[in-house]
Every structure is written in structure tokens, then in C-alpha cells.
Amino acid sequence: MTPTMEELIEHVRKLSAADRARLVGSILETLDEPDPVVEAAWKEEVERRAAGAESGASPAVEWSRARSKLGL
């Protein structure tokens, strides 16, 4: 017999915090299906940025300077 949602929730609440965290991670992984359009856009963006860094068109900035510009 398959447990009801209420029974599952009751059982999960009895788990340790670490086990609940593992369970949440496992459940989220089942929901995380990459969108091919988004993945393609990210790939293009990464390639564009890498090309800019390699060509010198997008020079690197030291982390301390970047933090300062961001007000961090």
C-alpha cells in the first residue's frame, strides 16, 4: 500500500535534520530538468566571455577593485 502524503510528511518529520536535507536535495534533483533554450544561451554567454578575456577585449579586474566598485 502506498502511503498518503500526510503519512510521508509525518515520517519525514521524524528524520534527523541531515537526513531531511538529503531528502530535500534528492527531491529537488528530480525537478531540475534543464531547459535546452536556457542552456544554449548560457553556453553562448560563456563562450562570448571567454573569447573576450582571451582577446583582451574584456580585461580582468582584481577582486579587491571589483568589490570596491560594487561597494562591498
Side-chain angles (χ1 to χ4, degrees):
M1 180 173 130
T2 303
T4 66
M5 183 63 67
E6 290 77 21
E7 290 170 331
L8 284 172
I9 291 170
E10 183 179 332
H11 181 71
V12 167
R13 285 185 174 150
K14 294 176 184 175
L15 296 173
S16 69
D19 285 344
R20 288 192 316 270
R22 271 185 55 211
L23 179 61
V24 167
S26 294
I27 292 170
L28 287 174
E29 285 176 4
T30 68
L31 301 175
D32 191 22
E33 295 182 23
D35 180 334
V37 173
V38 172
E39 293 297 312
W42 271 116
K43 184 176 188 275
E44 277 183 37
E45 181 64 15
V46 168
E47 290 171 352
R48 183 188 69 76
R49 290 183 187 196
E54 289 172 2
S55 72
S58 300
V61 176
E62 291 183 21
W63 175 237
S64 60
R65 185 171 171 207
R67 274 193 338 206
S68 175
K69 287 180 84 172
L70 294 171
L72 302 176

